[in-house]
């Protein structure tokens, strides 16, 4: 039996402006009709001998994860909610400790949520090769033979072949310079680090005890103090804060004597940059990849992502052009890795474009900011059928609601009443209120906020169907 663990806690800064802190790349539909997380879970469920996966994510993403699993009726074992990120090393350890609760020592398959594997049959074949070594007590990592020069990946050097398709680990290099990456690409002993691992749960735990005893103690305490609710395990921040941060590679694999490498040739990509997106989407005869409404003239080797408006290009080459509702990225195709520097600047300046899009997902629906100015903000709110917002109040703002379509059930103070299309109401500051859609179609309304402070943290929740507290979104 193999228990997959899907790591869904990353941000994907190099795919900004589409990937944001509150809507990171694993939740986006970048490569098809499903999100990358959905494709990953579906791929794992299709494998033989695997159980529904454990999913780890940031606590702010729990409703995104649950919603995307529910959308396609995808099964999962549980969801671990991390209050802060501590890297893949501790995340994998907490998951392994949890699997032992069934009094078995299963194989655990660690996979990132945001990778593309186009040849699933080859992925399954490589996994079968790795199973024998993992059952024998080895920690298996999967290496991808490089197909180009890539300085944005980590590299692994294989050593002696132990058995057909299984090699000792010789060395790790994290994101080498361009010259070194070029040399590695010419040497068949070097592989891209896929970030996927297979091992027995107890073997990884024993390695953690030996090489990272403080991490082991913190993770065990975190799991013991965790709380279970609605299919999720809430990890306490107090325990996790004390834990060192690091990857499985640096904390365990670079130290262990039990690490082995299995080559993987399954058309893999970590979709770690816009150049990677350009490559996996099969450019046309001019080398262009176009998504959305775009006109290209005398344009070559260019990625155009027109998410909101028409984009026209004339006489350009080797560009990445990505449009979102509130930001436009234009960069050279070969400089796509440096987008993360822009994101670092946005974060340092506390810009909203780092955190989220104008359209924001909530467990009950969505809202989109369409205009804002001094002491006012206008939102388009969509409430899904059968859903309702929390019973809440705001101390610094009032709200005006105008129904565009559907029928709203409104609680305002002690009043309860219905609003139909073109009807409106006013919610004064410090007034308990709630919005509900009891119909069969989406409820859409325009909300106009007025007041001295209009941020989302001005909220007191009295009742909530999703167990959110006043500080949760």
């Amino acid at each position: 039996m193999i228990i997959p663990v899907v790591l869904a806690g990353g941000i994907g800064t190099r795919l900004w402006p589409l990937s944001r802190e509150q809507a990171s790349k694993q939740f986006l539909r970048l490569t098809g009709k499903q999100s990358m997380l959905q494709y990953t879970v579906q791929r794992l469920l299709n494998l033989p001998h695997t159980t529904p996966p454990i999913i780890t994510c940031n606590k702010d993403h729990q409703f995104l994860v649950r919603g995307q699993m529910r959308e396609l009726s995808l099964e999962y074992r549980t969801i671990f909610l991390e209050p802060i990120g501590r890297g893949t090393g501790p995340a994998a350890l907490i998951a392994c400790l949890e699997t032992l609760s069934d009094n078995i020592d299963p194989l655990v398959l660690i996979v990132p949520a945001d990778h593309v594997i186009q040849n699933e049959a080859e992925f399954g074949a490589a996994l079968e090769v790795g199973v024998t070594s993992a059952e024998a007590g080895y920690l298996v990592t999967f290496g991808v033979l490089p197909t180009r020069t890539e300085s944005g990946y980590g590299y692994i050097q294989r050593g002696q072949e132990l058995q057909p398709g299984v090699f000792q680990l010789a060395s790790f290099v994290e994101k080498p310079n361009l010259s070194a990456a070029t040399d590695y690409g010419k040497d068949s002993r070097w592989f891209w680090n896929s970030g996927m691992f297979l091992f027995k749960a107890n073997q990884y735990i024993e390695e953690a005890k030996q090489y990272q005893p403080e991490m082991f103690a913190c993770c065990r305490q975190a799991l013991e103090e965790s709380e279970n609710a609605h299919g999720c395990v809430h990890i306490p921040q107090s325990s996790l804060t004390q834990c060192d941060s690091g990857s499985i590679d640096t904390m365990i694999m670079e130290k262990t004597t039990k690490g082995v490498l299995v080559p993987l040739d399954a058309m893999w990509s970590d979709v770690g940059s816009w150049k990677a997106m350009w490559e996996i989407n099969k450019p046309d005869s001019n080398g262009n990849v176009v998504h959305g409404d775009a006109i290209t003239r005398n344009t070559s080797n260019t990625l155009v992502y027109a998410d909101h408006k028409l984009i026209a290009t004339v006489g350009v080459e080797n560009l990445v052009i990505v449009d979102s509702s509130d930001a436009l990225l234009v960069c050279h195709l070969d400089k796509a890795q440096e987008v993360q520097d822009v994101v670092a600047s946005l974060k340092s300046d506390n810009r909203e474009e780092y955190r989220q899009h104008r359209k924001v997902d909530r467990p009950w629906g969505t809202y989109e900011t369409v205009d804002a100015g001094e002491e006012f903000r206008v939102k388009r709110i969509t409430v899904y059928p059968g859903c309702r917002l929390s019973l809440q109040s705001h101390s610094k703002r009032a709200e005006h609601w105008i129904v565009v379509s559907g029928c709203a059930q409104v609680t305002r103070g002690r009043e309860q009443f219905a609003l139909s299309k073109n009807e409106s109401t006013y919610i004064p500051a410090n007034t308990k209120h709630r919005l509900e859609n009891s119909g069969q179609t989406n409820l859409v309304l325009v909300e106009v906020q007025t007041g001295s402070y209009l941020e989302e943290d001005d909220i007191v929740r009295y009742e909530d169907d999703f167990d959110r507290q006043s500080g949760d979104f």
Side-chain angles (χ1 to χ4, degrees):
M1 179 178 68
I2 301 174
I3 299 179
V5 178
V6 180
L7 305 176
I11 297 177
T13 55
R14 289 170 291 177
L15 286 179
W16 184 88
L18 294 193
S19 183
R20 310 278 176 104
E21 182 182 51
Q22 294 297 322
S24 42
K25 72 170 183 175
Q26 59 267 31
F27 306 117
L28 304 180
R29 302 172 199 273
L30 294 173
T31 60
K33 295 182 179 180
Q34 299 176 22
S35 74
M36 302 186 79
L37 171 64
Q38 289 172 324
Y39 279 127
T40 297
V41 173
Q42 187 67 69
R43 182 188 312 127
L44 295 170
L45 292 174
N46 289 339
L47 291 170
H49 315 304
T50 57
T51 69
I54 295 170
I55 303 173
T56 70
C57 68
N58 185 280
K59 69 179 182 65
D60 292 339
H61 294 153
Q62 66 162 307
F63 299 111
L64 267 175
V65 173
R66 289 165 59 182
Q68 291 197 355
M69 295 302 97
R70 184 171 58 248
E71 179 184 2
L72 298 181
S73 300
L74 298 174
E75 292 184 82
Y76 57 89
R77 177 184 174 103
T78 191
I79 301 172
F80 279 98
L81 303 178
E82 299 175 331
I84 52 175
R86 279 294 179 260
T88 60
L93 181 55
I94 291 174
C96 286
L97 289 167
E98 192 277 338
T99 65
L100 297 184
S101 62
D102 294 339
N103 295 318
I104 58 173
D105 185 13
L107 291 177
V108 175
L109 174 63
I110 307 292
V111 296
D114 54 0
H115 290 184
V116 167
I117 296 177
Q118 298 186 51
N119 191 330
E120 295 190 15
E122 286 297 325
F123 174 57
L127 186 60
E128 286 297 322
V129 172
V131 163
T132 301
S133 294
E135 290 281 14
Y138 287 98
L139 280 66
V140 180
T141 186
F142 297 90
V144 178
L145 197 64
T147 57
R148 65 181 186 277
T149 299
E150 178 57 74
S151 60
Y153 291 164
Y155 283 74
I156 307 173
Q157 185 183 33
R158 66 170 170 82
Q160 177 184 355
E161 188 169 22
L162 300 177
Q163 62 186 65
V166 181
F167 299 85
Q168 286 182 329
L169 296 178
S171 62
F172 288 80
V173 175
E174 178 61 21
K175 297 181 181 178
N177 60 39
L178 190 60
S179 175
T182 301
D183 292 339
Y184 296 159
K186 298 175 182 177
D187 187 338
S188 62
R189 294 174 301 170
W190 286 92
F191 295 79
W192 287 335
N193 187 347
S194 71
M196 295 187 289
F197 305 89
L198 178 68
F199 36 67
K200 296 190 80 170
N202 206 49
Q203 187 64 54
Y204 185 75
I205 292 169
E206 291 301 315
E207 298 291 309
K209 287 181 181 178
Q210 179 176 352
Y211 297 109
Q212 302 291 340
E214 293 183 0
M215 177 183 77
F216 170 75
C218 290
C219 290
R220 181 175 61 181
Q221 180 181 356
L223 186 61
E224 289 173 350
E225 296 177 354
S226 64
E227 297 181 358
N228 290 268
H230 303 288
C232 297
V233 178
H234 297 255
I235 304 297
Q237 183 164 336
S238 57
S239 300
L240 212 55
T241 301
Q242 304 171 36
C243 186
D244 289 338
S245 179
S247 67
I248 296 173
D249 299 300
T250 59
M251 302 186 92
I252 302 296
M253 298 299 290
E254 293 180 13
K255 296 177 171 60
T256 183
T257 60
K258 296 181 178 296
V260 296
L261 179 144
V262 171
L264 175 66
D265 183 15
M267 301 176 69
W268 168 93
S269 173
D270 78 339
V271 199
S273 69
W274 286 113
K275 187 172 184 179
M277 276 288 293
W278 173 75
E279 290 168 340
I280 67 173
N281 277 282
K282 299 178 181 177
D284 63 20
S285 59
N286 293 314
N288 298 322
V289 171
V290 175
H291 173 93
D293 190 9
I295 299 172
T296 58
R297 295 289 184 269
N298 298 321
T299 298
S300 61
N301 300 326
T302 292
L303 169 68
V304 180
Y305 204 103
D307 204 22
H308 285 268
K309 62 178 72 72
L310 169 67
I311 294 178
T313 62
V314 180
V316 299
E317 60 183 6
N318 302 320
L319 289 182
V320 172
I321 304 170
V322 183
D323 174 54
S324 71
S325 61
D326 59 353
L328 173 66
L329 170 70
V330 181
C331 76
H332 193 283
L333 193 62
D334 291 335
K335 299 294 183 180
Q337 294 284 349
E338 297 179 22
V339 172
Q340 62 186 343
D341 298 334
V342 175
V343 176
S345 178
L346 292 171
K347 183 178 181 180
S348 177
D349 294 340
N350 199 29
R351 294 281 299 256
E352 191 69 15
E353 293 91 341
Y354 162 77
R355 284 187 293 274
Q356 60 188 17
H357 292 276
R358 287 181 177 173
K359 187 174 183 179
V360 178
D361 288 297
R362 287 290 183 260
W364 43 260
T366 65
Y367 73 79
E368 181 176 5
T369 300
V370 296
D371 197 7
E374 186 175 355
E375 297 195 354
F376 83 91
R377 179 172 291 170
V378 182
K379 291 181 177 180
R380 175 189 174 96
I381 295 177
T382 300
V383 184
Y384 299 144
C387 291
R388 61 180 180 174
L389 285 64
S390 58
L391 181 64
Q392 59 187 254
S393 65
H394 315 289
S395 63
K396 297 180 176 64
R397 74 170 184 255
E399 296 174 346
H400 303 253
W401 293 344
I402 305 99
V403 175
V404 176
S405 63
C407 182
Q409 302 296 320
V410 177
T411 298
R412 184 182 62 186
R414 296 182 178 180
E415 300 177 87
Q416 291 186 337
F417 52 92
L419 291 178
S420 299
K421 182 177 179 179
N422 294 328
E423 295 182 330
S424 63
T425 190
Y426 170 67
I427 311 292
N430 295 306
T431 300
K432 289 184 181 181
H433 59 281
R434 175 173 246 165
L435 181 64
E436 179 177 356
N437 179 8
S438 58
Q440 301 299 312
T441 60
N442 284 347
L443 165 65
V444 180
L445 67 149
V446 173
E447 176 182 87
V448 181
Q449 301 176 351
T450 57
S452 59
Y453 183 79
L454 304 174
E455 298 305 317
E456 292 299 309
D457 57 357
D458 175 23
I459 186 170
V460 176
R461 287 195 172 95
Y462 305 96
E463 297 175 8
D464 185 66
D465 294 343
F466 309 99
D467 293 328
R468 293 172 297 170
Q469 305 302 311
S470 293
D472 299 332
F473 302 137

